[in-house]
Amino acid sequence: AQSVTQLDSQVPVFEEAPVELRCNYSSSVSVYLFWYVQYPNQGLQLLLKYLSGSTLVKGINGFEAEFNKSQTSFHLRKPSVHISDTAEYFCAVRRSGPGAGSYQLTFGKGTKLSVIP
Amino acid sequence: GAGVSQSPSNKVTEKGKDVELRCDPISGHTALYWYRQSLGQGLEFLIYFQGNSAPDKSGLPSDRFSAERTGGSVSTLTIQRTQQEDSAVYLCASSSQGTAANYGYTFGSGTRLTVV
């Protein structure tokens, strides 16, 4: 089984400042990693994903994340945030191979990013 | 359709009543998932459908919860004898493959269920 820990439930940051949202995972098998964003009253939208290859992954809206296998982390970063980035962000994992439950995404509890003007 | 469609968007029901939540996935997506999002609890997996295979119901919290998928397309999540702890946002997602998938899901906007 996999588990995901998002270390910060809320992160306030001033507009145009950099931000890092932390995500750590636990798994006994290889995993794929995802970040999703949820704007108010909307569903989840995929920001980026790590499947294999380069550990630095770039996504939409200027976000990027770095996979660190030794630290079992997949932190999300943006060098300069905008008001429109205010949302809740979810880290998720799924096992990378076939097998029972391999399709199932396991989510963290989310981090609410508030961008302050 | 262009995206995953869920209805209703909001549902208020009295404790003890039954409710049905509908999900219309992206056309051609063979995999369909239901998740529950409770305040402060993240997203909880409920059930997974893949093509004509038997669904994985391992995430359903009690026998009051059931789901079906007709014709490999539209899915209905039914909650019988609703309780206040069932209040949550119910999210549906679909993807183009099942166990071999490495793609992110496409989520609907969810149904916000409030049991009073």
Side-chain angles (χ1 to χ4, degrees):
Chain A
Q2 294 81 48
S3 66
V4 178
T5 302
Q6 291 185 242
L7 297 165
D8 305 297
S9 59
Q10 298 189 44
V11 173
V13 62
F14 286 103
E15 191 175 15
E16 298 183 4
V19 69
E20 179 180 81
L21 306 183
R22 296 179 292 170
C23 172
N24 287 88
Y25 70 93
S26 174
S27 177
S28 59
V29 299
S30 296
V31 295
Y32 297 142
L33 294 146
F34 304 82
W35 274 99
Y36 285 83
V37 59
Q38 185 178 34
Y39 298 103
N41 300 314
Q42 295 187 26
L44 278 72
Q45 178 183 359
L46 181 65
L47 267 181
L48 49 78
K49 61 191 177 190
Y50 172 78
L51 306 179
S52 65
S54 173
T55 57
L56 183 63
V57 179
K58 294 188 184 297
I60 62 172
N61 300 340
F63 283 92
E64 63 180 32
E66 186 157 19
F67 170 57
N68 188 318
K69 187 174 182 180
S70 63
Q71 296 185 5
T72 60
S73 67
F74 190 55
H75 301 332
L76 181 70
R77 302 186 184 99
K78 186 170 183 178
S80 175
V81 296
H82 303 286
I83 296 292
S84 59
D85 293 324
T86 295
E88 190 160 16
Y89 293 79
F90 291 90
C91 182
V93 301
R94 57 171 287 173
R95 59 183 294 167
S96 59
S102 63
Y103 47 80
Q104 181 180 332
L105 281 177
T106 299
F107 288 86
K109 293 189 176 182
T111 297
K112 291 185 179 178
L113 174 64
S114 299
V115 180
I116 305 163
Chain B
V4 177
S5 178
Q6 291 188 246
S7 61
S9 55
N10 281 283
K11 176 72 176 179
V12 179
T13 189
E14 292 181 353
K15 178 180 174 181
K17 300 281 190 181
D18 298 351
V19 295
E20 287 188 350
L21 313 179
R22 176 188 168 103
C23 173
D24 200 342
I26 291 174
S27 178
H29 277 192
T30 57
L32 185 147
Y33 317 81
W34 283 98
Y35 281 79
R36 179 167 69 175
Q37 184 178 21
S38 303
L39 191 63
Q41 296 300 313
L43 280 82
E44 173 189 13
F45 167 78
L46 296 178
I47 189 169
Y48 159 71
F49 295 90
Q50 169 56 33
N52 296 319
S53 302
D56 180 346
K57 306 178 181 179
S58 61
L60 295 179
S62 78
D63 58 8
R64 296 186 295 105
F65 287 73
S66 63
E68 63 178 19
R69 188 178 185 191
T70 54
S73 181
V74 172
S75 176
T76 302
L77 177 69
T78 301
I79 309 173
Q80 296 179 309
R81 305 181 302 281
T82 51
Q83 304 294 316
Q84 287 185 330
E85 61 262 30
D86 300 334
S87 295
V89 176
Y90 290 82
L91 290 166
C92 176
S94 68
S95 69
S96 57
Q97 298 182 63
T99 58
N102 56 19
Y103 307 106
Y105 305 166
T106 301
F107 281 86
S109 297
T111 294
R112 182 176 298 279
L113 175 66
T114 304
V115 182
V116 298

